[in-house]
């Protein structure tokens, strides 16, 4: 826990709102996805995990039906009246919150008024799912305040729906599930088709995970994310028409080859990546269970190449970071993270060489692009959590 951030958040809350004694805190983590990128909306299996960076909230119940929100990062406030259905705000960050509240209202849950201040240590736009952290934090807060009793999976689905309807990003379910279901040193084996999940113990041995943020930030709503999803849906329509295949899990490269002319070069490449990534995740699961960390690193490298060349969601800066990393033998795995078009690379590096290697990569990147990448060591973490909850809150 970031105790300094919690203290700062508490001070800001005290400056804005009158303390009642029933306040509580929530931590909602960002996530990394070790393997299985862009297949959460393609019936794939992913290997995400919550990390020890995220968003912190301080919350206090009100006696009326008003909600007062304050973003400590943007220094902006938004007020909502819960006596009527909530509507979109002009503040983009507020819509993630409003979208979650709307999901409870649509289920006829009586949401009480509350005051809320939030801030985080999760880099926004770095591909670590700050939006899912915000949504899942709010889902847990509202679930607690209203005593609605929704399960964590139900809250993840509500958070995803909020992003679809209020942020305009038709994301898969992985980000929300990873944020709310995280557990210690475990990786989540998440089936996007059934939502079944299990925990796999990730033994990194003498390696650590480091994110290198290119500082090239993106907005998924304005990127080609939705276009990739539409392309995959059209590929699946053709697969069903030709082979009665209803899921990419049933598809092989041989199927793709047979309809290559009908697909065209672009859609063929998209489908090829999806089919190969589904197979890589299967291999990665075996590698984790058998403690073959070097094999896992090789699969990470293959995923980056697929994302860059076939799915075309990388960018020159991320590809530079990748190439700069893998030329070092101490880096056994590297790939771009998140939706793409900016953000981070995830690097699996020998522990005793981490500082030297990341400084070298950062120096090369700065020389090429005149940008100093943000170096972010991460550890796996518990999921969205209530902190210091007063039983009467």
């Amino acid at each position: 826990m970031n105790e300094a951030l919690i203290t700062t958040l508490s001070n800001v809350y005290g400056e804005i709102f009158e303390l009642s004694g029933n306040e509580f805190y929530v931590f909602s983590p960002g996530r990394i996805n070790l393997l299985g990128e862009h297949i959460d909306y393609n019936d794939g299996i992913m290997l995400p995990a919550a990390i020890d960076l995220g968003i912190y909230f301080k919350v206090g119940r009100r006696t009326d039906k008003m909600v007062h929100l304050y973003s400590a990062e943007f220094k902006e406030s938004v007020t909502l009246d819960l006596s009527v259905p909530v509507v979109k705000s002009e503040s983009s960050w507020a819509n993630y919150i409003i979208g979650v509240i709307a999901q409870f209202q649509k289920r006829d849950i009586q949401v009480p008024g509350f005051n809320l201040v939030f801030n985080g240590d999760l880099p926004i736009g770095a591909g670590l799912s700050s939006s899912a952290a915000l949504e899942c934090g709010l889902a847990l807060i509202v679930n607690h305040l209203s005593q609605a009793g929704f399960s964590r999976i139900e809250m993840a689905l509500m958070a995803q729906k909020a992003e679809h309807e209020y942020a305009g990003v038709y994301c898969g379910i992985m980000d929300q599930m990873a944020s709310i279901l995280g557990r210690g040193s475990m990786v989540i084996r998440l089936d996007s088709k059934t939502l079944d999940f299990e925990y796999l113990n990730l033994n990194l041995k003498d390696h650590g995970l480091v994110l290198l943020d290119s500082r090239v930030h993106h907005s998924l709503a304005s990127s080609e994310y939705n276009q990739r999803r539409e392309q995959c849906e059209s590929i699946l329509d053709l697969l069903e028409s030709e082979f009665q295949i209803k899921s990419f899990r049933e598809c092989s490269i041989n199927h793709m080859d047979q309809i290559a002319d009908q697909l065209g070069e672009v859609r063929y490449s998209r489908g090829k990546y999806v089919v190969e990534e589904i197979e890589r995740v299967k291999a990665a699961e075996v590698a984790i269970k058998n403690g073959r960390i070097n094999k896992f690193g090789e699969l990470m490298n293959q995923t980056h190449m697929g994302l860059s060349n076939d799915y075309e969601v990388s960018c020159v800066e991320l590809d530079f970071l990748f190439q700069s990393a893998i030329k070092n033998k101490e880096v056994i795995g590297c790939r771009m993270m998140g939706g793409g078009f900016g953000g981070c690379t995830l690097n699996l590096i020998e522990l005793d060489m981490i500082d030297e290697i990341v400084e070298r990569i950062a120096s090369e990147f700065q020389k090429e692009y005149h940008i100093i990448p943000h170096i972010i060591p991460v550890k796996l973490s518990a999921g969205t959590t209530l902190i210091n909850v007063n039983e009467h809150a």
Side-chain angles (χ1 to χ4, degrees), residues 205-258:
K205 299 182 179 179
D206 54 352
H207 299 83
L209 292 166
V210 180
L211 297 162
L212 282 171
D213 183 2
S214 68
R215 297 186 186 270
V216 178
H217 291 171
H218 63 282
S219 167
L220 286 181
S222 60
S223 75
E224 298 185 31
Y225 179 98
N226 291 342
Q227 183 189 74
R228 293 298 182 280
R229 185 163 185 160
E230 290 165 2
Q231 288 169 336
C232 289
E233 289 171 355
S234 71
I235 295 166
L236 202 54
D237 286 342
L238 187 55
L239 286 167
E240 183 173 8
S241 173
E242 294 292 327
F243 308 111
Q244 291 73 56
I245 287 176
K246 296 184 178 181
S247 169
F248 276 105
R249 289 196 203 181
E250 305 165 23
C251 180
S252 67
I253 292 297
N254 181 53
H255 289 121
M256 294 293 299
D257 289 343
Q258 291 182 59

Side-chain angles (χ1 to χ4, degrees), residues 13-302:
Y13 186 99
E15 293 170 2
I16 298 173
F17 303 116
E18 182 177 345
L19 296 175
S20 63
N22 66 5
E23 290 80 14
F24 60 93
Y25 299 88
V26 165
F27 169 71
S28 191
R31 67 96 187 96
I32 56 174
N33 183 27
L34 286 106
L35 223 65
E37 204 68 80
H38 278 281
I39 59 172
D40 57 338
Y41 51 86
N42 285 311
D43 288 343
I45 292 173
M46 297 80 64
L47 299 173
I51 58 173
D52 57 346
L53 302 173
I55 298 176
Y56 292 82
F57 306 81
K58 184 167 184 176
V59 188
R61 183 192 291 268
R62 296 176 60 90
T63 57
D64 57 21
K65 295 291 289 182
M66 302 302 294
V67 171
H68 292 274
L69 309 170
Y70 184 76
S71 167
E73 177 169 358
F74 296 110
K75 296 180 171 56
E76 292 179 359
S77 60
V78 170
T79 300
L80 309 172
D81 183 354
L82 297 182
S83 64
V84 295
V86 292
V87 295
K88 288 185 180 182
S89 166
E90 293 181 0
S91 295
S92 59
W93 61 264
N95 284 324
Y96 294 98
I97 295 174
I98 294 168
V100 172
I101 294 173
Q103 304 311 310
F104 283 82
Q105 288 186 328
K106 289 176 181 180
R107 291 161 176 80
D108 295 324
I109 301 299
Q110 294 300 310
V111 180
F114 59 92
N115 299 321
L116 179 146
V117 174
F118 72 96
N119 202 353
D121 54 8
L122 189 65
I124 295 175
L128 303 179
S129 255
S130 55
S131 59
L134 184 56
E135 293 153 0
C136 290
L138 259 294
L140 193 69
I141 288 165
V142 177
N143 196 55
H144 172 70
L145 288 171
S146 65
Q147 295 295 294
F150 290 116
S151 71
R152 286 183 174 257
I153 292 179
E154 288 172 320
M155 286 187 280
L157 288 167
M158 292 163 74
Q160 180 197 30
K161 196 75 171 175
E163 188 143 347
H164 289 183
E165 295 178 352
Y166 283 76
V169 180
Y170 294 93
C171 60
I173 191 60
M174 178 188 68
D175 294 349
Q176 291 81 7
M177 291 283 276
S179 182
I180 209 163
L181 292 174
R183 180 185 292 179
S185 62
M186 301 289 186
V187 172
I188 304 166
R189 181 194 181 275
L190 176 61
D191 187 326
S192 66
K193 188 175 183 179
T194 65
L195 298 189
D196 291 338
F197 67 94
E198 64 175 293
Y199 294 100
L200 306 177
N201 184 39
L202 181 65
N203 182 3
L204 294 177
K205 299 182 179 179
D206 54 352
H207 299 83
L209 292 166
V210 180
L211 297 162
L212 282 171
D213 183 2
S214 68
R215 297 186 186 270
V216 178
H217 291 171
H218 63 282
S219 167
L220 286 181
S222 60
S223 75
E224 298 185 31
Y225 179 98
N226 291 342
Q227 183 189 74
R228 293 298 182 280
R229 185 163 185 160
E230 290 165 2
Q231 288 169 336
C232 289
E233 289 171 355
S234 71
I235 295 166
L236 202 54
D237 286 342
L238 187 55
L239 286 167
E240 183 173 8
S241 173
E242 294 292 327
F243 308 111
Q244 291 73 56
I245 287 176
K246 296 184 178 181
S247 169
F248 276 105
R249 289 196 203 181
E250 305 165 23
C251 180
S252 67
I253 292 297
N254 181 53
H255 289 121
M256 294 293 299
D257 289 343
Q258 291 182 59
I259 58 171
D261 290 343
Q262 293 169 266
L263 289 171
E265 184 177 349
V266 172
R267 287 197 300 167
Y268 176 84
S269 294
R270 305 293 187 259
K272 174 176 176 288
Y273 167 77
V274 172
V275 172
E276 291 180 345
E277 183 72 350
I278 287 172
E279 291 302 313
R280 273 191 290 269
V281 171
K282 293 178 184 178
E285 185 181 349
V286 173
I288 289 174
K289 290 179 176 178
N290 293 335
R292 298 179 60 197
I293 196 66
N294 285 79
K295 175 61 177 178
F296 189 87
E298 292 174 12
L299 294 166
M300 289 176 64
N301 293 341
Q302 291 172 21

